[in-house]
Structures are given as C-alpha cells and as structure tokens.
Amino acid sequence: MRTTPLLATTLAGALALGGAAATAGTAHADPALPTPTERTVTDGRTTFTQVTNPAGGAVLSYVPGGSVKLLRVTTDEAVLAFKDMNANGRLDVWEDWRRSTNERAKALAQELTIPQVAGLMLFSSHERDAAAGLTDPQRTYLGVDHLRNVLNASSNDVKATVTWVNQVQAYAETRARSGLPYVPVNFSSDPRSTAANDSAYNAAGSDISRWPSNLGLAATFSRKTMLDFASTSSEEYRAMGITTALGPQIDLATEPRWLRVDGTFGENAALASTMAKAYVEGSQNTYDLYAHPTGWGEDSINTMIKHWPGDGAGEAGRESHLNAGKYAVYPGNNWAEHLKPFQAASDATAVMSSYSIAIAKDGSPLTGNRVGSAYDKVKIDLARNAGYDGVICTDWGVTRGYTDPNSPFGMAWGMEKASVNERHYAVLRAGLDMFGGNNDTVPVLAAHAMWQKDFEAGKVPVSADVRFRQSGERILRMLFAPGLFENPYLDLSRSQATVASKDKQMRGIAAQLDSVVMLKNARRTVKKSSLASFKNKTVYIPSTIAHGFPSVFSQATTDVVGPTMDVDTAKRYFKKVLTDTPVLDASGKVVDYRLPDLSSVDLVLAGLRGPDNGDNFTGAGMNKDGSFYPLSLQWRPYTAAGPHVRRTSIAGDLREDGTQENRSYYGATSKIGNERDLTAVLRAADAVRTVERRTGRHIPIIASVKAKTSFIPAEFERRVDAILVGYSVSDQALIETALGQHEPRGRLPMTSPKDMDAVEAQLEDVGEDMTPYRDSMGNTYSFGFGLGWKGVIDRRR
C-alpha cells in the first residue's frame, strides 16, 4: 500500500494566510529556518526544476527561465516556496498549496478568461501516438483553444509517454502570462491494464501490471482485491502523467448480450456497488501503514464513473455507440436499480453520461425526453438534485451526428437535426460541464453567446459567464486535487522504476488467478498438483479460425488464426506441446486444420473465446439495409424464432407519419465471428474419444472460456471434463489454474443461461432473471456459482 507524506498541517496554521509577504527569488530569512531544496531533472527532451518544500510541504516543478516564477514565504517555522502562475508577483489564493481544493478552484475560476474556461470544458479526442511527441495539432488546441484535458490512448511505453507528457506540460506553461493564468494539463486514460489484449480500449505494451477486466475483478467478489487494483493502477497512471481514469465503467449489466459487459462489475447491484465504491476509494486516496485511507496524495487520480444513469439495458444487447443500439429499454420498470452503483460511488470527482435514449415498456420516453443522456435534463437533474456537484462530462462524440456530412458515426441521439452549436448549447442547458472528444472551442463559445442571449431575454436564470465559471470551478478541482498546479512534470527514472515494478506485476497476476472461475471438475481433473508431474507429459492445444467484422473505421476484416491457448506458455510446463497443422487455400489463407496424432497425448487444453458478435463500432445487430438480427450467447448459428422473441420491438425511431420503426429480429439468424472455437473443442473431443476407445486410457479435456459476458455452456459442457472461465486474464493464469497451481476462487458475476430462449425471456433492465444452465454434474451456473478443488465455493464468503 502507498504511504502518504507527512502533511504540512503545522505550516498551514502557522501563517495567517495572506498575512506574510511573498517575495520573488531568494528571501532574506533566518538562516536557521528550513528552506526549500532544488534539483534539476531532465528526460532528455524537457529540463525542469523540482523544488521540495520543508516538513512535508508541496513538491513543485517548473521550467526555469519561463513564464512561471517562484515566490517564497517566510513563516515562524520555515521558508516555503510557491509558484507565481499569473505573473503578478504576489501569492494568490489559488496559488497557495496550503488552501483547500475547493477554495483554490473557486478563486481561479473567477480569474480565468471565458475562452480559457471554454477550453477547460473540452476533453480531447484520442491521442494515440505519444512517441511522436508534441505535435502541431496539439499546439493548436493547447494554445488557441486553451484545451487542458487530454485523452492518452497511446501505448504503455513509459519513456515515450513521460517525454510527451513533459513536453505538453512545458508548452502549456509557456502560454501563461499576465491576464492569462497558467493551467496545467490533465491527462486521462481509458482502461489500459487488462491482461488479455481483447478490449477495444486496452493499451498495447507489456510494461504495466496486468489485471483481469472489471468483470474479472467482480468475479473475485473481493473488495480488498478491488482496492489493491485501484491503488496499484493509480500509482502507475501517475507515473505516466495520467491523473484521471475514464472509469470505472459501473453500468449494471442486466442485459447479458450487451457488447460492453466486460467493462462492468456484472449484473448484481450490490456487488457492482461494492466494487464501484472501492475503485473510487482506492484511486482517490493514499493509505497509511495500516491501510487506512488518508485523502489525496501524489499517487491519487480522479475517477470518472460511467455511464450515468446506466447504459446496460440496450434493447436486445445492441450497443449505443452506433444507430443499432441507441435505445435502452426498461420493460421491468427497474430504472432505479441501475442508479445504485453510481450512488455508492458518488465520491467520484467526475461522472460521464451515457449515450442511450431511455424508453419505457410502453415505448414512450422514460423521462419524457426522446434524446440521449447528454441532452436529457431529467437524467442530469437526478444527479444534481441528489447533491452531486462534481464534473459531468459527455461521452465522446455526442455533439456529432451520424447523419452529419463527412461523419462516419456520431452519437447525437435525438438531436440529429440540430446544428453543432445548438447541440453544445443543449448539453449545457441539460447541466453538463464538459464535451468529450471535442478539441475546438468555437462551438462552445457559440453556446456561450446563445446562453447570454437567452439570459438577457429572461429564459435562463444566470448569465453565460456565471454558468461557464460554475463548470470551470468543477473542472479545476480535477486539476487541483492531484496537485497538478504544483508538480506537473515527471521524473523519467522514477516513472520507469514505478510502472510494472515486480511487486505490482505479482499483485496483478495474483488477482488474475483469484478471478478464474471453475464451473465443472469431473473426476477431480483440476486438483492441487506439482508442476514436476507435467514435465514428462504431452499436451494438445487445438487451433481455430475467427473472422472479424467491418466497422465504421474500416470495411476490411482480419482473420485470427492459430492455437486456442498460448503454445509458448504451455511449453514451460510440458515436455511436448502438440497443435494442429494449418490447411491453406491457393492464396495462402488458412481455411482448415489437420489434427496431429493424439495417441501420446496426456491432456487437452482448449480455449474458447466467448461468442463474438462484434464490438462497439461494428453496428452489431443491424444489417446495412436497416434490418436487424439477434445477438447471441451461443457459438452455433441461432435463429430467433422462439416464443419469447419480440415480434415488435419496444423502441424504434419515429417516422414522419408518426409510426414507430420496428427493430424486431424475429426469424433472423445471428452472426458469430468465432464459431470455429467451438468446432475446435468438439473435434478435439471426438479425436480424444477415439484414442480412448483404442487404448482404454482416459485423456482429460479442460476447456478455458475467455469470456466477456455470459455464454451458453450447453454446446460443449458434456464433452469436456473441466471448464474454467477467465475474464481477460492471461493464458498463463488459465494454464496454471488448470494444472493445479492455484485453487480457483472466482465465482460467476453473470449467470450462464440454459439456452437462447432463456435469454430472450429475460428483461433487459433486470438482473439475475435468466433460467440458468444446469450441467451434467447437477450444478447450476447462476450468479455467484463457482467451484474450488473440493467442491462448490460457499457464497457467503
């Protein structure tokens, strides 16, 4: 656990604030008094000075000879250093690190220019290439548009990231001058720490500790593990200059087909609430030697919980990034349940709104507004009226419409006919503070003018300046709380020692192992074992072919071919690893596999990715002609013709004649990209049983499902001896669990359904309402089920 530095509480009270003179440069003080120490730091591209105040006071950093100067204040106990960040030669309230975050943010929000506040209201589009350094477009949005919140979507290359961050911070510092106060840059990130690189958001690069996905962390049912992840990852984030996590994603995953289930904490509101609260606490705190939270520290980060007020009830699982899934439906009248994780995590510095339009069971807008959440004042007022006064940011792209010229996609649901300026104004009218994915202040300033015009006409209660500064104050808290104004620069050597340090890697691996769920264990196939017992064994790993889907970014698709488990990892444990021989067509494409001779095989390790319906940007569930097809939790084709399939969808677009579009997929068939994963397991089972009949010896088959949500085990369960489930964990964690090196402790965070009829019968907004699968051993795969070596894990633990 991290430890907090000694707080300068005695210093804070020793000086009547503003009662002592602040001087630039070196003060004539009692030489016996402790004074700040300075050192020069460079990353090879940016050189800065780091100042350490005495007695645990704030650490400062700045570029010498630039816009920011040092001020020194002499108290009875020490000489203290501060940064003069507006070139006025005096210590202002917002420059005084002894003051509270709220005091400082309130003061600076009144001093910034309105264009600066407009820049604060921007959250940049994805920056994917830290190695390129500071670019001209970045100089433009930092200098011209005053943008100060940057989304780092680059890899985990620590050196490239640190040098880029320092460059960006130094450039922001050069913009400060009299009349234009200094504001540092708040870097953010989507999740980048999952062990399996199977997430649309996960960052590339091995140099960071690796953990299960949120769904995998939920599978541990352990608040302690969640706190450990949050505090560890926030320390690594800070070492890479990241001060805001765009997460956790705490939507309640009551619709199992939803394409973003893996980012959630599952379908149970109590578990999701516990995990959400622990994530926020672990990220926004430091801890003393007794693991007690002590408030913000140098390793703390902001959290932006998402997506208010919950986006996990997409009709039929379709996802709201694209037109296919812009409607969330509430046939179970269970709206209030989806708010619970957000209420539990309300200490989060920020909240991100959801994309979807909420529709009631009868097809009417649940809030009275047929618009996405960023435009829905009723939804935002729910948070504000409950006392939430943190930042509320739109999700990315909501001020862009998918029907706009030259726009491949856009999520301005219900506002497609409005102009870009009108959309920005509507977001502000709804009560939000920031625009995700927008680098340009022009429409924000246009919204300011629209607000002021309405104020002067008596249509809004406060002036545009007051409204903007209200958001500015909230946003500035995100920069003051982690100490960005004091110490924005990174020491490269320290960052390299921090990120992916051995202790952090080991904690991540331990969490991966603890998250693995065992569903079946016939004949005690998985049991405590010595690795030495496998050294002379032969293992067979079947191979597969998976097909990608066209997306809004590219119509090209790429096949994923090869073994279903990592062969190099398996070679660490076995004498021999067998896999299949590819069969190629005339163009060299893998079209099939030829199995090896399995006569000498002792064990089969087969991997299956969960049924792949596509991702957020493939428009899964909707054909190009506007018709719909079902998302599925089974690998084989599923035709939606059962008794619980809706003939008429709950939600749909309203036509010009007042009728509603029918988004039903009755009679249509699913599209699964990795059906061959199932084929690989079943072919292996057939081949193994042939060997068994000939030799009379049993060859165990252990199937490892690499899951992102629920799945239907009925297609393979009876053909295998053991089933493990990993939620974005490494193959190493799955293999070591299979070989008895770690007793499974995970439990299902999502019910595995009996069949697709059970899926169709459940309600999108209600959790734990599916008929679960019952296996050949008599176990029921409902929420919370899991096996250890000796049997069913006690759900009360």
Side-chain angles (χ1 to χ4, degrees), residues 352-380:
M352 186 187 297
S353 62
S354 67
Y355 285 130
S356 57
I357 301 170
I359 302 295
K361 182 178 182 178
D362 64 0
S364 64
L366 191 67
T367 64
N369 301 314
R370 190 177 280 270
V371 292
S373 299
Y375 300 102
D376 193 336
K377 192 174 188 302
V378 172
K379 288 182 179 179
I380 303 307

Side-chain angles (χ1 to χ4, degrees), residues 181 205 322 421 698 792:
L322 298 180
N421 291 350
H698 179 64
V792 177

Side-chain angles (χ1 to χ4, degrees), residues 492-554:
L492 176 58
S493 61
R494 180 178 178 185
S495 293
Q496 289 173 322
T498 298
V499 181
S501 60
K502 189 66 175 179
D503 61 315
K504 296 181 184 67
Q505 291 186 57
M506 294 306 294
R507 290 202 291 273
I509 291 170
Q512 291 181 51
L513 291 167
D514 283 348
S515 73
V516 174
V517 181
M518 183 159 65
L519 295 181
K520 182 179 182 180
N521 193 25
R523 308 185 190 204
R524 294 193 66 233
T525 296
V526 178
K527 57 184 179 295
K528 186 176 183 178
S529 303
S530 166
L531 283 181
S533 63
F534 298 99
K535 284 296 184 183
N536 293 316
K537 302 288 187 182
T538 297
V539 67
Y540 166 58
I541 298 175
S543 295
T544 188
I545 304 170
H547 305 286
F549 296 90
S551 74
V552 295
F553 301 115
S554 174

Side-chain angles (χ1 to χ4, degrees), residues 21 137 165 275 318 419 433 439 451 459 508 540 649 693 725 727 739 757 765:
V165 164
M275 292 299 191
R318 295 188 294 265
S419 70
D433 304 294
N439 297 355
W451 186 291
K459 296 179 180 178
Y540 166 58
S649 62
R693 286 193 293 269
V725 185
Y727 300 96
L739 302 187
D757 188 57
D765 60 325

Side-chain angles (χ1 to χ4, degrees), residues 416-435:
E416 289 88 350
K417 295 181 180 180
S419 70
V420 172
N421 291 350
E422 289 168 338
R423 292 170 190 159
H424 281 75
Y425 182 42
V427 167
L428 293 177
R429 288 289 300 269
L432 288 85
D433 304 294
M434 298 186 75
F435 302 93

